Amino acid sequence: MKVLLVEDEVRLAEAVQRGLAAEGFQVELAHDGNEGLFKATTGAYEVVVLDIMLPGLNGYRICQEMRKAKVWTPVLMLTAKDGEYDEADAFDIGADDYLTKPFSYVVLVARLRALVRRGAPERPAVLVAGDLSLDPSAHRAARGDTTLSLTPREFALLQFLLRHRDEVVSKTQILEAVWDAHYEGDDNIVEVYIGYLRKKIDAPFGRRSIDTVRGVGYRLMGTGG
């Protein structure tokens, strides 16, 4: 498995490279944002690991430029920053996962293998279901011509549902994608946020776009409700 690691801390990058090599990964390094973007958009990798704070271009910008160039390689953001807003920012610009330093190699390897299994599905610039739309790069969601005011978590949840429109997704899938793969809180938080979304994207417009599939999960209708 070929991985691109973009990390400006040379000793850390080399340590991660050795650790991943021991697990069977072939790791190529870049130590600044410009080099990282060039390699990410011209090389063939199964996963790209991006530090956020980089000289030249930061990790957010690299990921954003990758998606603009229609490079759909899975991206894991690796950073010392923490907090749900940083996570939401990463997902909004097209990242697939987020890991905070210091991290466990066991967790890093597990996350990378999971991203490789998922592959690199295309991520359209604007997600649409009927007159419901979401533009991750502009961080804008709308119902027709009406802009929707969503919190970062609501935005990330709607983005996930739109990427899987007409599919039934479970609470576990939602928690792993929108919260964290190791979230240990009550999974009823998903139901709460589904309720928040319905009040903002459906109720004011007389729509019903999100179905509850009892005992299984939720489905956002491709027609937009």
Side-chain angles (χ1 to χ4, degrees):
M1 285 178 266
K2 192 173 180 182
V3 176
L4 172 63
L5 171 61
V6 187
E7 168 61 66
D8 64 323
E9 296 181 42
V10 177
R11 292 178 63 183
L12 173 61
E14 291 176 347
V16 172
Q17 184 181 41
R18 289 193 298 270
L20 292 180
E23 296 292 333
F25 291 88
Q26 179 185 348
V27 183
E28 190 169 324
L29 301 179
H31 297 303
D32 66 68
N34 292 310
E35 180 188 12
L37 177 60
F38 176 77
K39 289 186 173 182
T41 52
T42 60
Y45 305 98
E46 291 180 87
V47 184
V48 174
V49 180
L50 296 175
D51 187 19
I52 288 181
M53 304 304 292
L54 291 164
L57 300 175
N58 64 34
Y60 291 135
R61 180 70 183 278
I62 294 172
C63 185
Q64 192 171 38
E65 292 300 319
M66 286 173 62
R67 299 317 186 211
K68 284 182 180 178
K70 300 188 183 302
V71 176
W72 311 117
T73 309
V75 169
L76 184 148
M77 305 299 286
L78 185 65
T79 178
K81 298 179 71 177
D82 195 8
E84 66 178 42
Y85 289 100
D86 296 322
E87 294 181 40
D89 286 342
F91 291 128
D92 287 347
I93 50 86
D96 299 270
D97 204 352
Y98 184 102
L99 191 60
T100 303
K101 302 174 187 177
F103 56 87
S104 158
Y105 276 108
V106 174
V107 173
L108 175 60
V109 169
R111 298 282 187 92
L112 293 179
R113 293 194 190 283
L115 289 176
V116 170
R117 286 196 299 271
R118 290 181 211 165
E122 183 174 339
R123 298 162 176 79
V126 178
L127 304 171
V128 176
D131 65 345
L132 182 63
S133 64
L134 182 146
D135 184 340
S137 62
H139 199 83
R140 180 179 185 272
R143 173 70 86 171
D145 294 328
T146 304
T147 298
L148 303 170
S149 178
L150 304 178
T151 67
R153 188 75 74 185
E154 292 165 353
F155 190 92
L157 175 56
L158 179 58
Q159 182 173 342
F160 179 76
L161 293 174
L162 281 168
R163 290 203 189 282
H164 297 274
R165 57 191 176 278
D166 287 327
E167 299 177 21
V168 178
V169 291
S170 68
K171 285 184 178 180
T172 298
Q173 288 175 293
I174 293 172
L175 285 172
E176 289 180 351
V178 180
W179 274 259
D180 183 270
H182 301 281
Y183 175 79
E184 296 180 352
D186 192 337
D187 65 4
N188 283 333
I189 191 67
V190 174
E191 185 176 341
V192 172
Y193 272 82
I194 289 288
Y196 292 159
L197 266 190
R198 284 172 169 155
K199 289 178 182 177
K200 292 185 177 182
I201 72 173
D202 284 344
F205 307 94
R207 305 294 186 84
R208 184 173 177 176
S209 65
I210 304 174
D211 285 342
T212 299
V213 181
R214 192 169 299 280
V216 183
Y218 302 94
R219 175 176 52 220
L220 187 143
M221 306 299 293
T223 59

